[in-house]
Amino acid sequence: MRVGMGYDVHKLVEGRKLIIGGVEIPHSLGLLGHSDADVLLHAIMDALLGAAALGDIGKHFPDTDQAYEGISSIKLLEEVGQLLEKENYVIDNIDATIIAQKPKMRPHIEKMEENIAQALKIDVSQVNVKATTEEGLGFTGSEDGISSQAICAISSIYENSIAVGGSERNCAGCPGCGK
């Protein structure tokens, strides 16, 4: 098993849509960025790429490349999922937190989890999204921006291909220690 963590932050500005977890959330401000600036999906992508030791989203989707200008982060997440599959990794689980003073995220979290699971071709039970405020403290508390943190666990398909042993002596078919 491999574990990765991701963090992302974007500034709140006027004139942009607020898209988090692939959900357009009604709000007077949106997140500034080269793509749709989906802070949650960016943190999740960095966690997944980090777990696989494949760099980060800046490496794969640089903000200097016009091909990614305004792109949906759901599309980028799908590409990250395909890259993990190509490298023979499966996603065990994802746990993420959105840090925002406003708007309230709770009404949108279930749809966010569904979007993430669908993009990565995993079961929604493998995705957990939470939200919190910072009680008015820091840049998120003053509503200057929104941040997100994510952690994930992935496994190589080879790790998951070990046959379970039939004897009490061997763990997962291992001839090793004799437990």
Side-chain angles (χ1 to χ4, degrees):
M1 177 190 332
R2 299 173 70 121
V3 176
M5 58 124 353
Y7 173 80
D8 196 43
V9 60
H10 284 277
K11 183 178 181 175
L12 282 164
V13 297
E14 292 182 3
R16 295 267 304 193
K17 293 179 180 180
L18 180 60
I19 300 172
I20 300 179
V23 177
E24 186 175 334
I25 300 171
H27 194 52
S28 60
L29 303 172
L31 294 171
L32 181 63
H34 186 67
S35 66
D36 64 4
D38 189 324
V39 68
L40 173 62
L41 298 187
H42 292 186
I44 290 171
M45 287 186 279
D46 271 346
L48 292 167
L49 290 167
L54 294 172
D56 62 14
I57 61 174
K59 175 182 175 181
H60 294 274
F61 315 111
D63 64 5
T64 55
D65 189 334
Q66 294 306 308
Y68 303 117
E69 186 172 1
I71 194 167
S72 166
S73 293
I74 287 284
K75 296 218 180 289
L76 301 179
L77 184 61
E78 289 170 351
E79 287 188 39
V80 168
Q82 291 166 5
L83 182 59
L84 290 176
E85 187 177 327
K86 178 182 167 201
E87 296 293 323
N88 296 312
Y89 288 110
V90 293
I91 298 167
D92 296 324
N93 78 303
I94 296 167
D95 186 32
T97 304
I98 305 161
I99 302 126
Q101 195 65 36
K102 290 181 184 173
K104 292 293 183 190
M105 299 293 157
R106 180 84 229 105
H108 310 285
I109 285 179
E110 188 175 314
K111 182 62 177 163
M112 292 176 190
E113 291 171 339
E114 290 170 4
N115 289 346
I116 293 162
Q118 183 177 16
L120 293 170
K121 299 177 185 168
I122 60 176
D123 191 81
V124 73
S125 68
Q126 295 171 268
V127 180
N128 187 63
V129 175
K130 307 175 294 295
T132 191
T133 69
E134 288 192 306
E135 303 297 329
L137 300 173
F139 70 89
T140 59
S142 63
E143 299 177 53
D144 289 329
I146 294 177
S147 67
S148 185
Q149 299 176 358
I151 189 165
C152 71
I154 64 173
S155 299
S156 163
I157 61 169
Y158 302 110
E159 289 176 59
N160 294 328
S161 64
I162 298 172
V164 175
S167 85
E168 292 178 16
R169 182 173 167 248
N170 298 331
C171 304
C174 171
C177 68
K179 285 186 183 177

